[in-house]
Each structure stands twice: as structure tokens, then as C-alpha cells.
């Protein structure tokens, strides 16, 4: 059963400018592993913008309650290349209260825009 669906977009250039303008922002939005590619290089702005959009979409799928911590949702990619989300803390508590057992995530970035769709399934 689908419990919630969220979608979000982020302008890549604007997101990158915000990260440059606010030095600690990346650490408030992302866990350390999200900032790096599997080989250890720093992840590009388009990829980070898509992950940010996924976190916004995830919050919408949960009904956009206040008090969710950005770092309580981690976007990662399986070896197959499929994006996934791992939740903890405030996000896991809200998901459990709603009966969410499975997450479906889709990320994209093209033409200066990053987008994400998240489906919460119970």
C-alpha cells in the first residue's frame, strides 16, 4: 500500500551557489558518505542537488512534518546503480508511525535541474 508520494526539484546552479555561500550547509544536509563518490572523490553539485531534492521529496511523502533532521535520511546507490534511502532518528520515527516499510527513489538531473521522486510504501 502506498502511504505517500513526494516529488521535488532543485536548480543545480542555485543549489551550488547556496553551498558556496554557506560553508557548513553541506554538513547540515548530508551525511559524510553522501558527499563522496564510491571512489572517494567529492560528489558533483548536480548529484548533491538531486540528493537534496530526494530528501525534500521524502519529507513530502511523510506529510512534511516539522522537526525532521536532514541527516536522518541518507541517499545512497546500490551496486546495481539503483538509488535507495536509509532512514534513522526523526525520519525513521515518522516513517514507523505511518507504517512505512519500503522506500522507492528515483533521481535525475538534466538541463540545470535536479529532480527526485520518493514513494513510501507500507
Amino acid at each position: 500500500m502506498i502511504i505517500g508520494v513526494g516529488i521535488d526539484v532543485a536548480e543545480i546552479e542555485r543549489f551550488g551557489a547556496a553551498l558556496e555561500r554557506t560553508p557548513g550547509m553541506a554538513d547540515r544536509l548530508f551525511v559524510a558518505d553522501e558527499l563522496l563518490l564510491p571512489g572517494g572523490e567529492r560528489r558533483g553539485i548536480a548529484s548533491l542537488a538531486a540528493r537534496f531534492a530526494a530528501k525534500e521529496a521524502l519529507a513530502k511523502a511523510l506529510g512534511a512534518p516539522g522537526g525532521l533532521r536532514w541527516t536522518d535520511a541518507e541517499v545512497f546507490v546500490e551496486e546495481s546503480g539503483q538509488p535507495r534511502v536509509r532512514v534513522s532518528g526523526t525520519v525513521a520515527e515518522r516513517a514507523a508511525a505511518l507504517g512505512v516499510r519500503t522506500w522507492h527513489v528515483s533521481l535525475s538531473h538534466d538541463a540545470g535541474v535536479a529532480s527526485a521522486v520518493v514513494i513510501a510504501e507500507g
Side-chain angles (χ1 to χ4, degrees), residues 20-108:
E20 285 183 27
R21 201 174 44 250
T22 312
M25 185 175 170
D27 292 331
R28 288 192 305 274
L29 295 177
F30 304 107
V31 299
D33 285 347
E34 288 177 300
L35 297 171
L36 302 174
L37 293 168
E41 308 88 32
R42 182 137 173 112
R43 189 174 295 281
I45 295 301
S47 180
L48 289 176
R51 279 155 175 71
F52 175 71
K55 291 177 184 224
E56 287 276 4
L58 184 147
K60 292 173 183 177
L62 292 176
L68 298 180
R69 290 182 45 212
W70 295 109
T71 54
D72 285 348
E74 176 186 357
V75 179
F76 66 98
V77 178
E78 293 184 335
E79 285 187 29
S80 66
Q82 183 176 5
R84 292 284 188 194
V85 67
R86 184 177 4 250
V87 299
S88 62
T90 58
V91 177
E93 290 169 14
R94 174 66 176 177
L98 294 174
V100 177
R101 291 191 313 257
T102 305
W103 298 99
H104 305 276
V105 182
S106 181
L107 307 175
S108 186

